[in-house]
Short mmCIF file of all heavy atoms in Angstrom, two decimals:
data_model
loop_
_atom_site.label_atom_id
_atom_site.label_comp_id
_atom_site.label_asym_id
_atom_site.label_seq_id
_atom_site.Cartn_x
_atom_site.Cartn_y
_atom_site.Cartn_z
N MET A 147 125.31 24.19 108.64
CA MET A 147 124.76 25.52 108.39
C MET A 147 125.76 26.35 107.60
O MET A 147 126.95 26.31 107.84
CB MET A 147 124.46 26.20 109.71
CG MET A 147 123.57 27.41 109.56
SD MET A 147 123.33 28.23 111.17
CE MET A 147 124.92 29.00 111.38
N GLY A 148 125.22 27.08 106.65
CA GLY A 148 126.08 27.92 105.84
C GLY A 148 125.38 29.20 105.47
O GLY A 148 124.35 29.54 106.05
N TYR A 149 125.95 29.90 104.52
CA TYR A 149 125.39 31.17 104.09
C TYR A 149 125.23 31.19 102.58
O TYR A 149 126.04 30.61 101.85
CB TYR A 149 126.30 32.32 104.52
CG TYR A 149 126.35 32.46 106.00
CD1 TYR A 149 127.35 31.82 106.73
CD2 TYR A 149 125.40 33.20 106.68
CE1 TYR A 149 127.39 31.91 108.11
CE2 TYR A 149 125.43 33.30 108.06
CZ TYR A 149 126.43 32.67 108.77
OH TYR A 149 126.46 32.76 110.13
N LYS A 150 124.17 31.87 102.19
CA LYS A 150 123.89 32.04 100.77
C LYS A 150 124.21 33.49 100.43
O LYS A 150 123.74 34.41 101.11
CB LYS A 150 122.40 31.76 100.55
CG LYS A 150 121.99 31.69 99.12
CD LYS A 150 120.59 31.06 99.10
CE LYS A 150 119.86 31.32 97.84
NZ LYS A 150 118.46 30.86 97.96
N VAL A 151 125.03 33.70 99.42
CA VAL A 151 125.48 35.03 99.03
C VAL A 151 124.93 35.34 97.65
O VAL A 151 125.16 34.59 96.70
CB VAL A 151 127.03 35.11 99.00
CG1 VAL A 151 127.48 36.52 98.66
CG2 VAL A 151 127.63 34.64 100.32
N ILE A 152 124.19 36.44 97.56
CA ILE A 152 123.55 36.79 96.30
C ILE A 152 123.97 38.20 95.88
O ILE A 152 123.84 39.15 96.65
CB ILE A 152 122.02 36.73 96.44
CG1 ILE A 152 121.58 35.35 96.93
CG2 ILE A 152 121.34 37.06 95.10
CD1 ILE A 152 120.31 35.38 97.74
N VAL A 153 124.47 38.33 94.66
CA VAL A 153 124.81 39.64 94.10
C VAL A 153 123.79 39.97 93.02
O VAL A 153 123.57 39.18 92.10
CB VAL A 153 126.22 39.64 93.48
CG1 VAL A 153 126.54 41.02 92.89
CG2 VAL A 153 127.27 39.24 94.50
N ASP A 154 123.19 41.14 93.13
CA ASP A 154 122.28 41.62 92.10
C ASP A 154 123.10 42.26 90.99
O ASP A 154 123.64 43.36 91.14
CB ASP A 154 121.31 42.63 92.70
CG ASP A 154 120.23 43.06 91.72
OD1 ASP A 154 120.46 42.97 90.50
OD2 ASP A 154 119.16 43.50 92.18
N ALA A 155 123.22 41.56 89.89
CA ALA A 155 124.07 42.03 88.78
C ALA A 155 123.54 43.32 88.15
O ALA A 155 124.30 44.06 87.53
CB ALA A 155 124.18 40.93 87.72
N GLN A 156 122.26 43.57 88.33
CA GLN A 156 121.68 44.83 87.81
C GLN A 156 122.20 46.02 88.62
O GLN A 156 122.36 47.12 88.07
CB GLN A 156 120.14 44.81 87.92
CG GLN A 156 119.47 43.66 87.19
CD GLN A 156 119.66 43.74 85.69
OE1 GLN A 156 119.65 44.82 85.11
NE2 GLN A 156 119.85 42.60 85.07
N LYS A 157 122.43 45.81 89.90
CA LYS A 157 122.89 46.91 90.76
C LYS A 157 124.41 47.02 90.80
O LYS A 157 124.96 48.10 91.03
CB LYS A 157 122.38 46.69 92.19
CG LYS A 157 120.87 46.81 92.34
CD LYS A 157 120.50 46.64 93.81
CE LYS A 157 119.00 46.74 94.03
NZ LYS A 157 118.64 46.40 95.42
N CYS A 158 125.11 45.91 90.63
CA CYS A 158 126.57 45.89 90.77
C CYS A 158 127.23 46.77 89.72
O CYS A 158 126.93 46.69 88.54
CB CYS A 158 127.08 44.46 90.61
SG CYS A 158 128.87 44.32 90.77
N ILE A 159 128.16 47.65 90.21
CA ILE A 159 128.93 48.50 89.29
C ILE A 159 130.37 48.02 89.18
O ILE A 159 131.21 48.65 88.55
CB ILE A 159 128.89 49.99 89.71
CG1 ILE A 159 129.46 50.20 91.11
CG2 ILE A 159 127.45 50.52 89.63
CD1 ILE A 159 129.73 51.66 91.47
N GLY A 160 130.69 46.92 89.85
CA GLY A 160 132.00 46.31 89.70
C GLY A 160 133.14 47.10 90.30
O GLY A 160 134.26 47.04 89.81
N ASP A 161 132.87 47.84 91.38
CA ASP A 161 133.96 48.62 91.99
C ASP A 161 134.90 47.76 92.82
O ASP A 161 135.95 48.22 93.25
CB ASP A 161 133.42 49.80 92.80
CG ASP A 161 132.57 49.40 94.01
OD1 ASP A 161 132.49 48.19 94.32
OD2 ASP A 161 132.00 50.30 94.63
N GLY A 162 134.51 46.51 93.07
CA GLY A 162 135.42 45.57 93.71
C GLY A 162 135.55 45.72 95.21
O GLY A 162 136.42 45.11 95.82
N GLU A 163 134.67 46.50 95.82
CA GLU A 163 134.75 46.69 97.28
C GLU A 163 134.55 45.36 98.02
O GLU A 163 135.23 45.09 99.00
CB GLU A 163 133.70 47.71 97.75
CG GLU A 163 133.95 49.11 97.26
CD GLU A 163 135.14 49.77 97.96
OE1 GLU A 163 135.42 49.42 99.12
OE2 GLU A 163 135.77 50.63 97.34
N CYS A 164 133.63 44.57 97.56
CA CYS A 164 133.38 43.28 98.21
C CYS A 164 134.56 42.33 98.03
O CYS A 164 134.91 41.59 98.95
CB CYS A 164 132.09 42.65 97.68
SG CYS A 164 132.07 42.42 95.89
N VAL A 165 135.16 42.38 96.86
CA VAL A 165 136.33 41.53 96.58
C VAL A 165 137.44 41.87 97.57
O VAL A 165 138.09 40.99 98.13
CB VAL A 165 136.83 41.73 95.13
CG1 VAL A 165 138.06 40.87 94.86
CG2 VAL A 165 135.72 41.42 94.13
N ASP A 166 137.63 43.18 97.80
CA ASP A 166 138.70 43.63 98.70
C ASP A 166 138.41 43.33 100.16
O ASP A 166 139.31 42.99 100.92
CB ASP A 166 138.92 45.14 98.55
CG ASP A 166 139.50 45.49 97.20
OD1 ASP A 166 140.06 44.60 96.53
OD2 ASP A 166 139.40 46.66 96.81
N VAL A 167 137.14 43.47 100.57
CA VAL A 167 136.83 43.38 102.00
C VAL A 167 136.65 41.94 102.48
O VAL A 167 136.89 41.64 103.65
CB VAL A 167 135.58 44.23 102.35
CG1 VAL A 167 134.28 43.51 101.97
CG2 VAL A 167 135.56 44.61 103.81
N CYS A 168 136.23 41.05 101.61
CA CYS A 168 135.92 39.68 102.06
C CYS A 168 137.19 38.97 102.53
O CYS A 168 138.14 38.83 101.77
CB CYS A 168 135.25 38.89 100.94
SG CYS A 168 134.87 37.20 101.46
N PRO A 169 137.18 38.49 103.78
CA PRO A 169 138.38 37.85 104.34
C PRO A 169 138.65 36.45 103.78
O PRO A 169 139.73 35.92 103.98
CB PRO A 169 138.09 37.79 105.84
CG PRO A 169 136.60 37.78 105.94
CD PRO A 169 136.10 38.60 104.78
N VAL A 170 137.67 35.89 103.11
CA VAL A 170 137.84 34.51 102.65
C VAL A 170 137.66 34.35 101.13
O VAL A 170 137.40 33.27 100.62
CB VAL A 170 136.89 33.55 103.41
CG1 VAL A 170 137.34 33.39 104.85
CG2 VAL A 170 135.45 34.02 103.37
N GLU A 171 137.76 35.47 100.42
CA GLU A 171 137.79 35.46 98.94
C GLU A 171 136.59 34.77 98.31
O GLU A 171 136.72 33.91 97.43
CB GLU A 171 139.11 34.84 98.45
CG GLU A 171 140.29 35.67 98.94
CD GLU A 171 141.64 35.19 98.44
OE1 GLU A 171 141.69 34.26 97.62
OE2 GLU A 171 142.64 35.76 98.88
N VAL A 172 135.43 35.17 98.79
CA VAL A 172 134.18 34.65 98.21
C VAL A 172 133.95 35.21 96.80
O VAL A 172 133.38 34.54 95.95
CB VAL A 172 132.99 34.97 99.15
CG1 VAL A 172 131.65 34.78 98.43
CG2 VAL A 172 133.06 34.09 100.39
N TYR A 173 134.44 36.44 96.57
CA TYR A 173 134.13 37.14 95.31
C TYR A 173 135.31 37.20 94.34
O TYR A 173 136.47 37.21 94.74
CB TYR A 173 133.73 38.59 95.59
CG TYR A 173 132.51 38.72 96.46
CD1 TYR A 173 132.65 38.95 97.82
CD2 TYR A 173 131.24 38.62 95.92
CE1 TYR A 173 131.53 39.07 98.63
CE2 TYR A 173 130.12 38.73 96.72
CZ TYR A 173 130.28 38.96 98.07
OH TYR A 173 129.18 39.08 98.87
N ALA A 174 134.94 37.31 93.06
CA ALA A 174 135.90 37.67 92.02
C ALA A 174 135.21 38.66 91.10
O ALA A 174 133.97 38.74 91.08
CB ALA A 174 136.32 36.43 91.24
N LEU A 175 135.99 39.42 90.37
CA LEU A 175 135.42 40.32 89.36
C LEU A 175 135.51 39.65 88.01
O LEU A 175 136.58 39.21 87.59
CB LEU A 175 136.20 41.64 89.31
CG LEU A 175 135.89 42.70 90.35
CD1 LEU A 175 136.72 43.95 90.07
CD2 LEU A 175 134.41 43.05 90.40
N ARG A 176 134.37 39.59 87.34
CA ARG A 176 134.35 39.03 85.98
C ARG A 176 133.52 39.93 85.10
O ARG A 176 132.37 40.22 85.42
CB ARG A 176 133.72 37.63 85.98
CG ARG A 176 134.59 36.63 86.73
CD ARG A 176 134.62 35.25 86.11
NE ARG A 176 135.46 34.40 86.92
CZ ARG A 176 135.03 33.30 87.55
NH1 ARG A 176 133.79 32.90 87.42
NH2 ARG A 176 135.86 32.57 88.27
N ASP A 177 134.09 40.35 84.00
CA ASP A 177 133.38 41.22 83.05
C ASP A 177 132.76 42.43 83.74
O ASP A 177 131.64 42.84 83.45
CB ASP A 177 132.29 40.43 82.31
CG ASP A 177 132.86 39.28 81.49
OD1 ASP A 177 133.98 39.44 80.96
OD2 ASP A 177 132.21 38.23 81.40
N GLY A 178 133.53 43.00 84.68
CA GLY A 178 133.09 44.23 85.33
C GLY A 178 132.01 44.07 86.38
O GLY A 178 131.41 45.06 86.80
N LYS A 179 131.77 42.84 86.81
CA LYS A 179 130.78 42.60 87.87
C LYS A 179 131.38 41.67 88.91
O LYS A 179 132.21 40.81 88.59
CB LYS A 179 129.53 41.89 87.30
CG LYS A 179 128.84 42.63 86.19
CD LYS A 179 127.89 43.67 86.73
CE LYS A 179 127.16 44.36 85.57
NZ LYS A 179 126.29 45.43 86.04
N ALA A 180 130.90 41.82 90.16
CA ALA A 180 131.31 40.89 91.21
C ALA A 180 130.51 39.61 91.06
O ALA A 180 129.29 39.64 90.88
CB ALA A 180 131.05 41.51 92.57
N VAL A 181 131.20 38.49 91.11
CA VAL A 181 130.53 37.20 91.09
C VAL A 181 130.99 36.38 92.29
O VAL A 181 132.10 36.56 92.80
CB VAL A 181 130.81 36.42 89.77
CG1 VAL A 181 130.18 37.12 88.59
CG2 VAL A 181 132.30 36.21 89.55
N VAL A 182 130.11 35.50 92.72
CA VAL A 182 130.40 34.65 93.87
C VAL A 182 131.08 33.38 93.35
O VAL A 182 130.50 32.65 92.56
CB VAL A 182 129.09 34.30 94.61
CG1 VAL A 182 129.36 33.35 95.77
CG2 VAL A 182 128.41 35.57 95.09
N VAL A 183 132.31 33.16 93.80
CA VAL A 183 133.07 32.01 93.31
C VAL A 183 133.40 31.00 94.41
O VAL A 183 133.94 29.94 94.13
CB VAL A 183 134.38 32.46 92.61
CG1 VAL A 183 134.07 33.22 91.34
CG2 VAL A 183 135.27 33.26 93.54
N ASN A 184 133.07 31.38 95.63
CA ASN A 184 133.55 30.58 96.76
C ASN A 184 132.56 30.65 97.93
O ASN A 184 132.95 30.90 99.06
CB ASN A 184 134.90 31.18 97.19
CG ASN A 184 135.83 30.17 97.77
OD1 ASN A 184 135.57 28.99 97.76
ND2 ASN A 184 136.94 30.67 98.31
N MET A 185 131.28 30.43 97.61
CA MET A 185 130.23 30.67 98.61
C MET A 185 130.39 29.82 99.86
O MET A 185 130.04 30.25 100.96
CB MET A 185 128.86 30.43 97.99
CG MET A 185 127.75 31.04 98.82
SD MET A 185 126.07 30.80 98.20
CE MET A 185 126.17 31.07 96.47
N GLU A 186 130.89 28.61 99.72
CA GLU A 186 130.99 27.71 100.87
C GLU A 186 131.95 28.22 101.94
O GLU A 186 131.89 27.79 103.09
CB GLU A 186 131.36 26.29 100.43
CG GLU A 186 132.62 26.12 99.63
CD GLU A 186 132.51 26.51 98.15
OE1 GLU A 186 131.40 26.86 97.70
OE2 GLU A 186 133.53 26.50 97.46
N GLU A 187 132.81 29.19 101.58
CA GLU A 187 133.74 29.76 102.57
C GLU A 187 133.14 30.90 103.38
O GLU A 187 133.73 31.35 104.36
CB GLU A 187 135.00 30.29 101.86
CG GLU A 187 135.85 29.23 101.20
CD GLU A 187 136.48 28.28 102.22
OE1 GLU A 187 136.92 28.75 103.27
OE2 GLU A 187 136.49 27.07 101.96
N CYS A 188 131.98 31.38 102.98
CA CYS A 188 131.39 32.57 103.62
C CYS A 188 131.21 32.38 105.12
O CYS A 188 130.71 31.35 105.57
CB CYS A 188 130.05 32.91 102.98
SG CYS A 188 129.22 34.32 103.75
N LEU A 189 131.60 33.41 105.88
CA LEU A 189 131.53 33.40 107.34
C LEU A 189 130.29 34.13 107.86
O LEU A 189 130.05 34.18 109.06
CB LEU A 189 132.77 34.10 107.92
CG LEU A 189 134.12 33.59 107.45
CD1 LEU A 189 135.22 34.55 107.85
CD2 LEU A 189 134.39 32.21 107.99
N GLY A 190 129.57 34.77 106.96
CA GLY A 190 128.37 35.52 107.36
C GLY A 190 128.67 36.81 108.10
O GLY A 190 127.84 37.31 108.84
N CYS A 191 129.85 37.38 107.89
CA CYS A 191 130.25 38.58 108.62
C CYS A 191 129.53 39.84 108.14
O CYS A 191 129.50 40.85 108.83
CB CYS A 191 131.76 38.78 108.53
SG CYS A 191 132.34 39.17 106.87
N GLU A 192 129.00 39.79 106.92
CA GLU A 192 128.26 40.89 106.29
C GLU A 192 129.12 42.12 106.01
O GLU A 192 128.58 43.21 105.77
CB GLU A 192 127.01 41.26 107.11
CG GLU A 192 126.09 40.07 107.26
CD GLU A 192 124.60 40.40 107.16
OE1 GLU A 192 124.25 41.59 107.14
OE2 GLU A 192 123.81 39.45 107.08
N SER A 193 130.44 41.98 106.05
CA SER A 193 131.31 43.10 105.67
C SER A 193 131.04 43.55 104.24
O SER A 193 131.07 44.74 103.93
CB SER A 193 132.78 42.70 105.79
OG SER A 193 133.09 42.36 107.11
N CYS A 194 130.78 42.58 103.38
CA CYS A 194 130.52 42.90 101.97
C CYS A 194 129.22 43.68 101.81
O CYS A 194 129.14 44.62 101.02
CB CYS A 194 130.48 41.63 101.14
SG CYS A 194 129.32 40.38 101.76
N VAL A 195 128.21 43.31 102.60
CA VAL A 195 126.92 44.00 102.56
C VAL A 195 127.12 45.45 102.99
O VAL A 195 126.61 46.39 102.36
CB VAL A 195 125.91 43.30 103.48
CG1 VAL A 195 124.59 44.07 103.54
CG2 VAL A 195 125.66 41.87 103.01
N GLU A 196 127.89 45.66 104.07
CA GLU A 196 128.10 47.00 104.60
C GLU A 196 128.90 47.88 103.64
O GLU A 196 128.65 49.07 103.52
CB GLU A 196 128.84 46.92 105.94
CG GLU A 196 127.93 46.43 107.05
CD GLU A 196 128.71 46.00 108.29
OE1 GLU A 196 129.85 46.48 108.48
OE2 GLU A 196 128.18 45.19 109.06
N VAL A 197 129.85 47.29 102.95
CA VAL A 197 130.75 48.09 102.11
C VAL A 197 130.14 48.40 100.74
O VAL A 197 130.60 49.32 100.06
CB VAL A 197 132.12 47.36 101.99
CG1 VAL A 197 132.09 46.27 100.91
CG2 VAL A 197 133.24 48.33 101.76
N CYS A 198 129.10 47.68 100.37
CA CYS A 198 128.53 47.86 99.03
C CYS A 198 127.61 49.07 98.99
O CYS A 198 126.50 49.05 99.53
CB CYS A 198 127.78 46.61 98.58
SG CYS A 198 127.11 46.81 96.91
N ASP A 199 128.05 50.14 98.31
CA ASP A 199 127.25 51.37 98.23
C ASP A 199 126.00 51.18 97.36
O ASP A 199 125.08 51.99 97.43
CB ASP A 199 128.09 52.51 97.64
CG ASP A 199 129.19 52.94 98.58
OD1 ASP A 199 129.02 52.78 99.80
OD2 ASP A 199 130.23 53.44 98.08
N GLN A 200 126.02 50.16 96.55
CA GLN A 200 124.88 49.92 95.64
C GLN A 200 123.79 49.06 96.27
O GLN A 200 122.75 48.81 95.65
CB GLN A 200 125.35 49.21 94.36
CG GLN A 200 126.65 49.70 93.78
CD GLN A 200 126.65 51.20 93.55
OE1 GLN A 200 125.69 51.74 93.04
NE2 GLN A 200 127.72 51.87 93.93
N ASP A 201 124.03 48.58 97.49
CA ASP A 201 123.11 47.61 98.12
C ASP A 201 122.83 46.43 97.20
O ASP A 201 121.68 46.00 97.05
CB ASP A 201 121.79 48.28 98.54
CG ASP A 201 121.99 49.25 99.69
OD1 ASP A 201 122.87 48.98 100.55
OD2 ASP A 201 121.30 50.26 99.74
N ALA A 202 123.87 45.93 96.58
CA ALA A 202 123.71 44.86 95.58
C ALA A 202 123.85 43.47 96.18
O ALA A 202 123.62 42.49 95.48
CB ALA A 202 124.74 45.05 94.47
N ILE A 203 124.21 43.39 97.47
CA ILE A 203 124.53 42.09 98.06
C ILE A 203 123.57 41.73 99.19
O ILE A 203 123.27 42.56 100.04
CB ILE A 203 125.98 42.08 98.61
CG1 ILE A 203 126.97 42.40 97.50
CG2 ILE A 203 126.31 40.71 99.24
CD1 ILE A 203 128.39 42.60 97.99
N VAL A 204 123.14 40.50 99.15
CA VAL A 204 122.34 39.94 100.25
C VAL A 204 123.05 38.67 100.73
O VAL A 204 123.45 37.83 99.92
CB VAL A 204 120.91 39.59 99.79
CG1 VAL A 204 120.12 38.92 100.91
CG2 VAL A 204 120.18 40.83 99.30
N VAL A 205 123.22 38.56 102.05
CA VAL A 205 123.78 37.34 102.64
C VAL A 205 122.72 36.75 103.57
O VAL A 205 122.24 37.43 104.47
CB VAL A 205 125.08 37.63 103.43
CG1 VAL A 205 125.59 36.37 104.11
CG2 VAL A 205 126.15 38.21 102.51
N GLU A 206 122.36 35.53 103.32
CA GLU A 206 121.32 34.86 104.10
C GLU A 206 121.86 33.61 104.76
O GLU A 206 122.60 32.86 104.13
CB GLU A 206 120.16 34.43 103.19
CG GLU A 206 119.37 35.56 102.60
CD GLU A 206 118.35 35.08 101.58
OE1 GLU A 206 118.35 33.89 101.21
OE2 GLU A 206 117.54 35.91 101.15
N GLU A 207 121.44 33.40 105.99
CA GLU A 207 121.77 32.16 106.68
C GLU A 207 120.90 31.04 106.10
O GLU A 207 119.72 31.27 105.80
CB GLU A 207 121.44 32.35 108.17
CG GLU A 207 122.34 31.60 109.08
CD GLU A 207 122.08 31.97 110.53
OE1 GLU A 207 121.78 33.13 110.82
OE2 GLU A 207 122.16 31.07 111.36
N GLU A 208 121.49 29.89 105.95
CA GLU A 208 120.64 28.78 105.47
C GLU A 208 121.06 27.47 106.12
O GLU A 208 122.06 27.39 106.77
CB GLU A 208 120.68 28.66 103.96
CG GLU A 208 122.05 28.41 103.39
CD GLU A 208 121.99 28.10 101.90
OE1 GLU A 208 120.95 28.38 101.25
OE2 GLU A 208 122.97 27.58 101.38
S1 SF4 B 273 129.55 37.92 104.53
FE1 SF4 B 273 131.78 38.15 104.98
S2 SF4 B 273 132.67 36.17 104.48
FE2 SF4 B 273 130.64 36.23 103.51
S3 SF4 B 273 130.98 36.99 101.43
FE3 SF4 B 273 130.53 38.78 102.71
S4 SF4 B 273 132.54 39.56 103.40
FE4 SF4 B 273 132.85 37.44 102.63
#
């Protein structure tokens, strides 16, 4: 069992909050947007979802 992490690039403003808060470095900033680079490490803690003011992130159990 793992987690699927989805960033809506239309909503993302690239403030890097998710990059900073994620304990396992799932995110990186590329060209001013957050991208998922390490999805298999996701713990499903939803810290990134909570910290994102743009509501750009969805984390789903799969
Ligand atoms: S749910 Fe937690 S572990 Fe997964 S990407 Fe978000 S902050 Fe990182």
Side-chain angles (χ1 to χ4, degrees):
M147 195 183 74
Y149 294 93
K150 189 166 161 188
V151 183
I152 304 150
V153 179
D154 186 336
Q156 302 295 323
K157 293 182 180 173
C158 180
I159 60 167
D161 64 7
E163 293 288 332
C164 56
V165 179
D166 291 342
V167 79
C168 180
V170 290
E171 299 183 6
V172 165
Y173 299 98
L175 279 183
R176 293 218 181 118
D177 299 326
K179 302 276 182 184
V181 293
V182 177
V183 293
N184 210 7
M185 197 181 317
E186 56 282 356
E187 294 294 319
C188 177
L189 306 168
C191 67
E192 302 219 351
S193 298
C194 54
V195 175
E196 286 165 24
V197 82
C198 181
D199 292 332
Q200 318 307 316
D201 291 327
I203 301 172
V204 176
V205 176
E206 292 173 352
E207 212 172 324
E208 60 172 17

